[in-house]
Amino acid sequence: MNKTKKNSMAKNIKYTWKTVPMNNVPEAIRTYLDKHFNSDVVFGIVKEEENKTLFYVIDVDHNGLYHHLKFDNAGNFVSEKVEATSESDEEHFTTVGTGD
């Protein structure tokens, strides 16, 4: 991919830097999280605008893996990217806690 094309694509995506409160996301997203990530830690929720279409991006810690979830403005699941943390299990649970 040439540099010009890459830069023009990046201009089509804008993120908010302010975290969106859970009660301000569509009910369908909260239902999805309750079903699939009920006992996990949500690190943040931001809005993303891509080609003038609004999405919600939610980061969840699930068993030492970061799940980057993307939903459309209506709350429909769009995509998921999973990223391994570099922490050991012991470090992870010291940092995040056990949920107690």
Side-chain angles (χ1 to χ4, degrees), residues 32-87:
Y32 183 95
L33 293 172
D34 284 344
K35 181 177 180 181
H36 299 283
F37 298 97
N38 189 25
S39 61
D40 299 310
V41 177
V42 174
F43 278 104
I45 304 169
V46 295
K47 290 182 182 178
E48 171 192 280
E49 184 181 314
E50 184 176 341
N51 297 321
K52 298 185 181 184
T53 302
L54 181 67
F55 296 95
Y56 291 90
V57 178
I58 301 177
D59 294 331
V60 179
D61 182 333
H62 176 73
N63 295 331
L65 297 174
Y66 292 127
H67 293 254
H68 307 286
L69 308 169
K70 186 175 184 177
F71 298 87
D72 67 16
N73 195 35
N76 299 304
F77 176 80
V78 174
S79 66
E80 176 179 35
K81 293 181 184 176
V82 180
E83 175 184 9
T85 67
S86 59
E87 299 175 329

